[in-house]
């Protein structure tokens, strides 16, 4: 019998491969967006993002510049470069072939001379320089040159520049921040008090309230929209920042209470009792013992709420007015970009990355807290 | 000076009654030990005295004042918890000074007091460390120091040594004994599982049984004259041997015969003539048994196991029928080579205990 | 006032208000209403302690009453009225919904979402957590899987448009199909029934990382001795995982499952951004947003149906809380 010498928990090759596949599947879509956010609109439409880093072969047409026509020895000549437009001039590609009709856009190799239909000829060099010669004047409509060229990979920050400069995203970014911060802090603070009472105070109906907080957790908040809008209108808050803060606070409470109660109930009972014997009042026990000990849970709870509010579209659509002034980012992306800029994928991608940046940062900074806060068991005591 | 009077105290959690009708008077300056099997409510009783648990029946008086509704901090009580309950996020200094700060004392004053106590407990070098950076023994001393700093009239200890290793336990036990000697006017209530702690520390011991107190008394009283089989078995280690027997002759000295055979033996327990023929339980502590050649032995049995401990040897005798009770004898000195032999065992009449229906015949 | 300044002000007011409220209400309770001195000292302390929990609970209770319990009653009441809200029409809204094919489709889809997404995200997260646990490059893999968590669903929708796009030059999926030799691009978001699953994949993609991170921390919190004891008992890796580790972290799994379920119930954004609810992918929240503002009675009725949908989860959660709590 062969004895398996390996420790049964050592990661085997299958695990390595499985994780690799999983990580790739999870990462590739995001990578696509990231790459696309650095490409231009026509690039995105012309080739898949996965081809972006490769030199891409592109077929395009250029209209010769009739205004640049000169006469040389009785012949009308237009000389120019197919890569003359702004985007291409910085990083010109190499022409592989050219043509004079859309039916055969790559009929001639570079250096060859193609005959034009109305007489005259066209030659295009590998570096993109072309020369049109004709015995007759070109007039208004210069002939179209068809070119097949390999273009070098090209990335630009244009999308980001446009998104930020146009004020498409800056205003919503600030608005989102304005919605998110109070909507994160308020429910966390309020829930902390309630969670303490549920965890460490004796009163009738405590068990019921604990169960209720777990029950409210899954109550769909859509339920609340119609009556709440009416309530807000009745109170004179209407649609606006105050309304959405209150709404997010109300909706966030059950989860915050649920998580914080779990964490606070995990503080050893002896410690609370000892503080009681030491003469601390309930407010002091809460602020000096329980809060410092459950700080990770508080941070975790706040992070979760932050990310959810930041990424929320539903509540924002209902509780903020449709006007431009206070739109948050998710609304801006969906309405504005998907709507009026529909199809400007590059700009959308850049906008999406901007909206991702802050939660990502918060998450990675507070990751440890978040984990400890959400774990079912309290960390080691003593 | 503070004495505690517990009158008819009971505790129920909802419908479950844990303690019933506890009556105790703990003298001022006494070190009073509570022992009892696990789960019998020792901690609960202590927590009721501390004010952490509501008293559902009866009254608690400290120094003649009813305390039932007084919050913990105002009872003049400090408690040392089994888990030490040090605040994990505070340094030793802050831990020890917390109660004083809550009481509103000045910073300088607190600091001086903390430093003084810490040095007395050899904690001077770790005042600024967090509890996580302390050894078990140091944590224990911080917990005790924290209690001392409050200078209460009553100290409560809930199994304070059970988390320490054997050597440290002995050392700390001695320290607590010294602490008590240093403040003879403070009352201490001490819960423990440990026989040795109970016997060595206590002025008086209360044995807690099912829902109530089985016996209260000085350690030696409990040892010599247990009121019931329960107490008899609980005090002393190894536990008392309990054997079925029958009274064959009554009087100042009672003669008995054990059910498992052997001769008739004498016990220095008075019985009345009506008791003749009564079936009783005869209790003999292992350390009171000795081997004999005489015909008036208590029992004869085969030695099944010999444990040589050095200063004593423990002999385990085979039960007379399979599944029956083994009898243990504890002989001073070293007795090797007894394994498999059949010995006659006897005990002095004054060391025999007689129980009927679980209660001692001494207390009738 | 600029919104950010307003936000900071509101935090200041909200937090100091809340903290001040608790502090001062306790002060008033202990000093003024039930002073802990004099003859009735002990009784007063007892009474103050009866009131005190409610002081701590009041803001949260008021908040959740106002924003969850009252609306729940309000929505039910509103669902019994017509479009304008003046005429009482009994259960007519519900009957109308029952006859509405779009609604039926949305209901079926929502059921599917609630069943599939939390289960898939939790399981995948658990597997990912377990597999990455003892890998040297675990952090890299975890970062990749975790990244989607921080995205808004709108952003995620955008990302997956680049995968699902009906054009082999934009959509990765179609590009892969093309290289495998399939004829013509395929719009996966228009295949009946399957398109819902393609949408669910997006949500699962965003939530797996969340589940993984929490579950892997839970796995690491299991005492080593337990695992080692199992190894000594001859269990192999799979057995240890299924019989020792998973039962140990059941509590955490419950939390994750619940959190993902809550998210699924809000899933309107994703569907809205990907298909606009067309091609039979509509879900109840989206359907509700469609009728809202036009017919609040009908919208409220949809919300009530959504509520009924989560009743089992609600009951189960309450049961867990009852068991876990005291
Ligand atoms: N809050 C509570 N609710 C219900 N029952 C409780 C509660 N606290 C303790 N009990 C029960 O009361 C009984 C006594 O508990 P207690 O902790 O006082 O025992 P103990 O004598 O200290 O035991 P040990 O020696 O193991 O510490 C136990 O059966 C316990 O289950
Ligand atoms: Mg105990």
């Amino acid at each position: 019998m062969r004895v398996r010498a390996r420790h049964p928990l050592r990661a085997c090759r299958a695990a390595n491969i499985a994780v690799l596949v999983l990580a790739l599947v999870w990462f590739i879509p995001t990578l696509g967006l990231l790459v696309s956010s650095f490409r231009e609109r026509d690039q995105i439409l012309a080739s898949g993002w996965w081809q972006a880093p490769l030199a891409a072969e592109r077929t395009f047409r250029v209209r010769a510049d009739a205004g640049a026509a000169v006469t040389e020895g009785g012949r009308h000549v237009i000389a120019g470069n197919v890569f003359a437009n702004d985007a291409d001039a910085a990083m010109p590609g190499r022409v592989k072939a050219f043509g004079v009709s859309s039916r055969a856009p790559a009929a001639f190799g570079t250096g060859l001379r193609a005959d034009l239909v109305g007489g005259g000829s066209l030659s295009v060099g590998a570096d993109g320089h072309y020369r049109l010669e004709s015995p007759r004047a070109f007039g208004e409509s210069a002939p179209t040159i068809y070119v097949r060229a390999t273009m070098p990979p090209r990335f630009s920050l244009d999308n980001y520049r446009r998104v930020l400069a146009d004020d498409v995203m800056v205003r919503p970014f600030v608005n989102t921040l304005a919605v998110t911060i109070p909507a994160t802090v308020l429910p966390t603070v309020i829930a902390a008090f309630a969670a303490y009472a549920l965890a460490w105070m004796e009163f009738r109906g405590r068990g019921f309230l604990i169960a209720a907080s777990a029950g409210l957790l899954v109550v769909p908040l859509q339920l609340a929209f119609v009556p709440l809008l009416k309530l807000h209108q009745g109170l004179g808050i209407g649609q606006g920042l105050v309304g959405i803060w209150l709404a997010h606070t109300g909706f966030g409470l059950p989860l915050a209470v649920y998580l914080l109660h779990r964490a606070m109930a995990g503080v050893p009972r002896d410690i609370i009792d000892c503080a009681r014997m030491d003469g601390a009042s309930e407010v002091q026990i809460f602020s000096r013992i329980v809060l410092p000990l459950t700080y990770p849970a508080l941070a975790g709870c706040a992070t979760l709420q932050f990310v959810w509010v930041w990424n929320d579209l539903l509540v924002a659509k209902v509780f903020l007015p449709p006007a431009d002034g206070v739109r948050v980012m998710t609304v801006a992306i969906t309405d504005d970009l998907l709507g009026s800029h529909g199809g400007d994928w590059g700009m959308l991608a850049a906008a999406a990355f901007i909206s991702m940046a802050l939660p990502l940062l918060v998450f990675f900074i507070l990751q440890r807290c978040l984990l400890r806060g959400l774990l079912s068991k309290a960390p080691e005591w003593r | 000076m503070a004495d505690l009077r517990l009158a008819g105290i009971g505790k129920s959690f909802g419908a479950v009654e844990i303690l019933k009708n506890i009556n105790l008077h703990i003298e001022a300056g006494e070190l009073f030990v509570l022992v009892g099997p696990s789960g019998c409510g020792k901690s609960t009783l202590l927590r009721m005295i501390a004010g952490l648990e509501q008293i559902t029946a009866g009254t608690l008086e400290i120094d003649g004042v009813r305390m039932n509704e007084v919050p913990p901090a105002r009872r003049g009580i400090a408690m040392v918890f089994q888990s030490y309950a040090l605040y994990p996020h505070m340094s030793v200094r802050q831990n020890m000074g917390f109660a004083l700060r809550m009481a509103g004392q000045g910073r300088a004053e607190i600091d001086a007091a903390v430093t003084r106590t810490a040095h007395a407990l050899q904690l001077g070098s770790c005042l600024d460390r967090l509890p996580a950076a302390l050894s078990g023994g140091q944590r224990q001393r911080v917990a005790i120091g924290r209690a001392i700093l409050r200078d209460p009239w009553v100290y409560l200890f809930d199994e304070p040594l059970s988390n320490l290793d054997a050597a440290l336990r002995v050392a700390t036990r001695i320290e607590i004994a010294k602490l008590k000697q240093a403040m003879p006017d403070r009352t201490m209530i001490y819960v423990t599982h440990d026989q040795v702690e109970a016997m060595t520390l206590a002025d008086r011991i209360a044995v807690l049984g099912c829902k109530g107190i089985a016996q209260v008394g000085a350690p030696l009283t409990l040892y010599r004259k247990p009121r019931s089989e329960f107490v008899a078995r609980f005090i002393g280690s190894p536990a008392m041997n309990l054997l079925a027997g029958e009274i064959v002759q009554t009087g100042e000295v009672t003669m008995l015969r054990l059910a498992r055979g052997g001769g008739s033996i004498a016990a220095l327990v008075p019985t009345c003539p009506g008791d003749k023929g009564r079936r009783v339980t005869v209790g003999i502590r292992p350390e009171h048994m000795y081997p004999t050649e005489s015909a008036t032995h208590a029992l004869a049995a085969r030695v099944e196991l010999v444990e040589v401990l050095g200063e004593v040897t423990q002999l385990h005798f085979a039960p007379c029928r399979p599944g029956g009770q083994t009898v243990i004898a504890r002989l001073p000195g070293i007795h090797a080579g007894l394994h498999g032999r059949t010995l006659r065992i006897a005990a002095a009449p004054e060391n025999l205990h007689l129980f009927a229906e679980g209660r001692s015949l001494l207390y009738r | 006032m600029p919104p950010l300044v307003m936000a900071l002000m509101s935090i200041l007011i909200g937090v100091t208000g809340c903290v001040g409220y608790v502090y001062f209400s306790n002060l008033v309770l202990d000093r003024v209403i039930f002073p802990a001195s004099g003859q009735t000292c002990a009784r007063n302390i007892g009474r103050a302690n009866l009131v005190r929990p409610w002081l701590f609970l009041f803001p949260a209770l008021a908040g959740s009453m106002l924003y969850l319990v009252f609306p729940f009653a309000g929505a039910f009441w509103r669902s019994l009225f017509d479009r304008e809200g003046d005429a009482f029409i009994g259960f007519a809204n519900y009957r109308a919904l029952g006859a509405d094919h779009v609604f039926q489709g949305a209901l079926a889809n929502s059921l599917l979402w609630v069943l599939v997404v939390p289960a898939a995200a939790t399981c995948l997260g658990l597997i990912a957590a377990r597999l990455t646990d003892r890998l040297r490059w675990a952090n890299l893999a975890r970062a990749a899987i975790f990244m989607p968590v921080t995205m808004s669903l709108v952003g995620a929708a955008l990302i997956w448009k680049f995968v699902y796009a009906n054009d082999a030059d934009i959509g990765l999926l179609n590009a892969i199909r093309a290289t495998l030799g399939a004829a013509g691009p395929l719009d996966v978001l228009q295949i009946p029934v399957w398109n819902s699953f393609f949408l669910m994949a997006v949500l699962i993609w965003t939530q797996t990382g969340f589940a993984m991170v929490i579950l892997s921390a839970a796995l690491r919190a299991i005492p080593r001795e337990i695992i080692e004891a199992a190894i000594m008992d001859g269990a192999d890796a799979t057995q240890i995982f299924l019989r020792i580790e998973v039962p140990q972290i059941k509590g955490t799994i419950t939390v994750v499952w619940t959190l993902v379920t809550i998210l699924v119930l809000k899933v309107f954004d994703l569907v809205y951004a990907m298909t606009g609810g067309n091609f039979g992918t509509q879900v109840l929240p989206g359907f509700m947003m469609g009728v809202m503002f036009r017919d609040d009675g009908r919208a409220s009725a949809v919300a009530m149906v959504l509520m009924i949908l989560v009743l089992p989860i609600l009951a189960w959660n309450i049961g867990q809380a009852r068991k876990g709590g005291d």
Side-chain angles (χ1 to χ4, degrees):
Chain A
M1 198 179 81
R2 250 185 69 203
V3 179
R4 255 196 348 192
R6 249 193 34 233
H7 193 272
L9 295 183
R10 274 260 314 280
C12 55
R13 185 171 304 147
N16 266 302
I17 292 169
V19 173
L20 185 69
V21 169
L22 206 63
L24 280 182
V25 168
W26 250 253
F27 183 60
I28 284 175
T30 317
L31 183 68
L33 192 73
L34 182 66
V35 171
S36 299
S37 76
F38 292 107
R39 303 177 83 205
E40 273 150 35
R41 184 187 187 136
D42 47 346
Q43 276 180 302
I44 293 175
L45 293 178
S47 65
W49 59 265
W50 52 93
Q51 290 164 338
L54 310 176
E57 200 163 85
R58 203 168 108 203
T59 307
F60 60 99
R61 57 182 191 194
V62 184
R63 165 135 317 167
D65 184 6
V70 289
T71 24
E72 272 176 28
R75 291 178 76 85
H76 298 270
V77 175
I78 304 177
N81 194 312
V82 293
F83 300 120
N85 69 37
D86 297 341
D88 293 339
M91 295 176 94
R94 288 197 71 75
V95 176
K96 297 187 99 168
F98 68 95
V100 289
S101 79
S102 58
R103 261 168 289 127
F108 305 93
T110 50
L112 293 179
R113 176 182 291 262
D115 290 328
L116 296 178
V117 182
S121 65
L122 167 69
S123 66
V124 181
D127 57 355
H129 281 293
Y130 66 85
R131 187 180 172 86
L132 271 167
E133 287 183 17
S134 170
R136 275 174 284 125
F138 288 105
E140 281 301 285
S141 59
T144 304
I145 307 167
Y146 294 84
V147 181
R148 171 171 294 172
T150 39
M151 303 298 291
R154 201 175 73 221
F155 298 100
S156 79
L157 287 172
D158 254 20
N159 291 320
Y160 288 92
R161 231 173 269 136
R162 268 195 304 155
V163 165
L164 291 177
D166 258 351
D167 226 22
V168 182
M169 267 295 140
V170 178
R171 193 68 204 269
F173 190 91
V174 174
N175 286 338
T176 311
L177 217 55
V179 168
T180 308
I181 299 175
T184 304
V185 176
L186 285 180
T188 313
V189 172
I190 293 175
F193 285 118
Y196 175 72
L198 289 180
W200 289 111
M201 290 169 126
E202 306 255 337
F203 58 94
R204 290 189 57 143
R206 175 173 146 200
F208 170 77
L209 284 183
I210 293 173
S213 83
L216 284 180
L217 209 57
V218 285
V219 168
L221 33 111
Q222 288 89 346
L223 211 60
F225 291 166
V226 177
L228 278 184
L229 268 183
K230 256 178 109 176
L231 176 79
H232 281 180
Q233 257 134 26
L235 288 176
I237 302 172
Q239 287 181 315
L241 278 182
V242 178
I244 200 172
W245 290 333
L246 291 178
H248 272 307
T249 303
F251 298 149
L253 274 177
L255 179 68
V257 169
Y258 177 74
L259 293 178
L260 291 179
H261 170 249
R262 282 164 67 95
M264 287 184 181
V267 174
R269 177 181 180 167
D270 281 358
I271 287 181
I272 308 290
D273 283 343
C274 192
R276 289 215 170 114
M277 298 222 50
D278 278 348
S281 70
E282 295 292 338
V283 177
Q284 283 167 326
I285 297 177
F286 173 72
S287 62
R288 304 212 180 174
I289 310 287
V290 173
L291 271 197
L293 289 180
T294 50
Y295 161 73
L298 276 172
C301 184
T303 316
L304 215 56
Q305 175 78 0
F306 176 89
V307 173
W308 281 13
V309 174
W310 184 272
N311 290 334
D312 162 80
L313 174 67
L314 191 58
V315 178
K317 266 190 109 65
V318 174
F319 285 93
L320 286 179
D324 250 5
V326 283
R327 262 188 337 186
V328 291
M329 252 185 310
T330 43
V331 176
I333 294 180
T334 15
D335 288 0
D336 238 37
L337 299 179
L338 283 186
S340 60
H341 296 248
D344 192 344
W345 296 80
M347 211 159 142
L348 282 172
F353 266 96
I354 291 172
S355 82
M356 251 177 78
L358 200 62
L360 202 64
L361 199 72
V362 170
F363 240 125
F364 277 109
I365 292 173
L366 292 180
Q367 192 189 5
R368 297 189 72 123
C369 288
L370 178 78
L371 294 183
R372 273 209 269 155
L374 296 181
L375 274 176
S376 61
K377 294 262 161 44
E380 277 203 15
W381 297 99
R382 280 196 268 130
Chain B
M1 301 290 272
D3 64 323
L4 284 87
R5 191 178 292 277
L6 285 69
I9 285 204
K11 175 76 192 175
S12 21
F13 291 107
V16 190
E17 195 174 40
I18 306 289
L19 292 168
K20 198 168 123 188
N21 196 24
I22 305 275
N23 292 293
L24 272 179
H25 182 221
I26 299 168
E27 308 278 354
E30 194 173 22
L31 201 163
F32 192 87
V33 170
L34 278 171
V35 295
S38 185
C40 71
K42 305 180 296 291
S43 299
T44 308
L45 184 59
L46 212 59
R47 291 166 52 81
M48 283 198 287
I49 295 174
L52 297 169
E53 207 79 70
Q54 220 192 337
I55 299 171
T56 50
T59 50
L60 166 72
E61 286 176 9
I62 298 179
D63 216 10
V65 183
R66 182 185 153 97
M67 284 286 161
N68 285 37
E69 291 83 17
V70 178
R74 294 175 170 227
R75 295 189 181 193
I77 288 179
M79 184 155 169
V80 176
F81 291 84
Q82 177 176 5
S83 63
Y84 315 142
L86 302 182
Y87 308 122
H89 59 299
M90 296 186 192
S91 67
V92 169
R93 188 190 298 281
Q94 289 166 321
N95 257 292
M96 292 174 77
F98 187 72
L100 302 184
R101 245 174 82 200
M102 291 295 109
Q105 289 198 15
R107 195 167 283 270
E109 212 176 324
I110 297 176
D111 231 36
V114 168
T115 315
R116 190 158 12 92
T117 311
H119 280 292
L121 290 167
Q122 291 118 48
L123 288 168
S125 59
C126 38
L127 266 178
D128 291 309
R129 280 195 236 159
L130 287 181
L134 299 180
S135 72
Q138 285 170 328
R139 283 178 203 163
Q140 172 62 56
R141 271 176 289 160
V142 173
I144 292 177
R146 194 164 60 167
I148 294 175
L149 263 168
R150 289 184 50 202
D151 194 23
W153 284 105
V154 181
Y155 287 84
L156 306 179
F157 294 90
D158 190 357
E159 304 189 31
L161 308 184
S162 57
N163 282 344
L164 301 178
D165 64 52
L168 211 51
R169 202 178 292 181
V170 174
T172 316
R173 192 183 79 216
I174 292 167
E175 264 178 59
I176 289 178
K178 282 186 191 155
L179 188 73
K180 181 69 194 67
Q181 278 171 15
M183 29 192 193
D185 54 347
R186 301 297 197 255
T187 311
M188 292 186 178
I189 305 177
Y190 190 105
V191 169
T192 182
H193 267 134
D194 190 299
Q195 295 284 326
V196 185
E197 274 172 48
M199 298 302 279
T200 53
L201 287 173
D203 294 322
R204 281 196 301 156
I205 298 179
V207 181
L208 234 52
C210 175
K211 291 190 186 175
I213 292 176
Q215 188 173 2
V216 186
L220 284 183
T221 314
L222 262 57
Y223 180 75
R224 289 204 185 117
K225 297 178 174 175
R227 247 176 202 284
S228 59
E229 269 186 56
F230 176 77
V231 176
R233 228 173 339 173
F234 204 81
I235 302 287
S237 161
M240 183 185 280
N241 298 300
L242 294 169
L243 305 157
E246 188 188 340
I247 297 177
V248 292
Q249 189 186 327
T250 60
E252 274 306 300
V253 175
T254 307
M255 298 303 289
L256 309 135
R257 175 164 292 119
L258 295 184
R260 62 183 289 167
S264 72
I265 47 172
L268 201 57
V269 178
T271 42
C272 47
D275 287 332
K276 186 160 182 197
R278 193 169 179 184
R279 302 198 166 275
V280 291
T281 306
V282 181
I284 314 172
R285 293 197 183 277
E287 56 269 37
H288 293 150
M289 291 181 155
Y290 56 86
T292 178
E293 299 298 324
S294 139
T296 60
H297 60 274
L299 61 120
R302 191 171 57 81
V303 178
E304 204 179 36
L305 179 70
V306 182
E307 294 174 317
V308 183
L309 302 178
E311 85 276 22
V312 290
T313 304
Q314 289 186 170
L315 305 178
H316 295 242
F317 295 101
C320 55
R321 60 194 145 71
Q325 200 194 358
T326 49
V327 173
I328 302 174
R330 213 167 138 90
L331 310 179
I334 296 171
H335 305 267
L338 289 177
H339 187 259
R341 298 235 326 252
T342 298
L343 291 185
R344 288 177 172 179
I345 293 291
E350 64 270 25
N351 288 335
L352 256 53
H353 307 263
L354 297 189
F355 305 97
E357 281 110 32
R359 307 251 290 281
S360 171
L361 292 183
L362 265 181
Y363 297 84
R364 287 204 290 187
Chain C
M1 218 180 337
L4 260 189
V5 178
M6 234 173 116
L8 293 180
M9 289 268 295
S10 79
I11 291 182
L12 208 70
I13 295 170
V15 173
T16 50
C18 195
V19 172
Y21 152 76
V22 170
Y23 182 77
F24 285 109
S25 65
N26 272 284
L27 212 64
V28 168
L29 188 71
D30 288 335
R31 295 276 158 80
V32 183
I33 306 178
F34 298 119
S37 58
Q39 288 266 291
T40 52
C41 166
R43 216 182 58 212
N44 274 352
I45 289 173
R47 285 188 186 168
N49 283 340
L50 281 184
V51 179
R52 202 186 315 279
W54 301 102
L55 293 182
F56 278 75
L57 284 169
F58 173 73
L61 269 184
S64 44
M65 277 289 171
L66 203 59
Y67 280 82
L68 290 163
V69 179
F70 152 73
F72 178 72
F76 177 67
W77 186 241
R78 185 68 186 79
S79 73
L80 303 178
F81 286 80
D82 71 347
R83 174 180 311 222
E84 274 74 38
D86 343 293
F88 183 86
I89 52 170
F91 287 93
N93 276 323
Y94 293 89
R95 272 195 296 277
L97 283 182
D100 185 345
H101 287 295
V102 182
F103 170 79
Q104 286 165 4
L107 179 63
N109 279 336
S110 272
L111 258 174
L112 212 56
W113 280 77
V114 169
L115 288 180
V116 172
V117 176
T122 312
C123 289
L124 274 174
L126 191 57
I127 292 170
R130 188 61 192 76
L131 287 183
T132 55
D133 205 25
R134 293 186 175 83
L135 236 51
R136 226 179 269 150
W137 49 288
N139 278 339
L140 205 67
R142 286 215 192 102
I145 298 176
F146 181 77
M147 197 141 67
V149 177
T150 58
M151 269 173 227
S152 66
L153 287 179
V154 179
L158 202 62
I159 288 181
W160 282 81
K161 279 200 161 182
F162 275 96
V163 177
Y164 292 157
N166 183 17
D167 179 345
D169 274 337
I170 302 178
L172 187 62
L173 205 61
N174 275 311
I176 293 172
R177 275 175 44 101
T179 50
L180 293 182
L186 178 73
D187 192 345
V188 292
L189 294 181
Q190 293 195 28
I191 318 169
V193 185
W194 284 107
N195 50 8
S196 277
F197 283 93
F198 280 105
L199 290 183
M200 284 182 221
V202 180
L203 195 61
I204 295 169
W205 176 76
T206 61
Q207 294 310 301
T208 297
F210 175 70
M212 172 200 68
V213 168
I214 293 175
L215 292 174
S216 86
L219 281 177
R220 259 176 292 162
I222 298 176
R224 263 202 87 76
E225 297 85 56
I226 296 180
I227 309 294
E228 276 159 5
I231 295 174
M232 299 302 289
D233 287 344
D236 63 29
T238 323
Q239 285 169 327
I240 289 175
F241 178 57
L242 289 179
R243 309 219 169 165
I244 313 282
E245 292 180 319
V246 171
Q248 290 263 329
I249 58 169
K250 240 193 305 192
T252 312
I253 293 178
T254 314
V255 178
V256 172
W257 196 294
T258 307
L259 292 179
V260 177
T261 307
I262 298 171
L263 196 96
V264 171
L265 293 174
K266 283 178 61 179
V267 81
F268 156 77
D269 355 15
L270 184 64
V271 179
Y272 181 72
M274 298 270 308
T275 62
N278 298 316
F279 320 122
T281 55
Q282 190 58 288
V283 284
L284 283 186
F287 180 82
M288 190 188 149
M289 292 303 286
V291 280
M292 218 170 130
F293 301 117
R294 282 196 284 117
D295 184 347
D296 283 352
R298 189 74 57 87
S300 301
V302 179
M304 293 310 295
V305 174
L306 207 56
M307 182 68 216
I308 294 167
L309 212 60
V310 298
L311 272 184
I313 311 171
L314 188 143
W316 183 59
N317 248 295
I318 290 179
Q320 289 292 108
R322 276 263 150 92
K323 249 194 303 172
D326 36 358

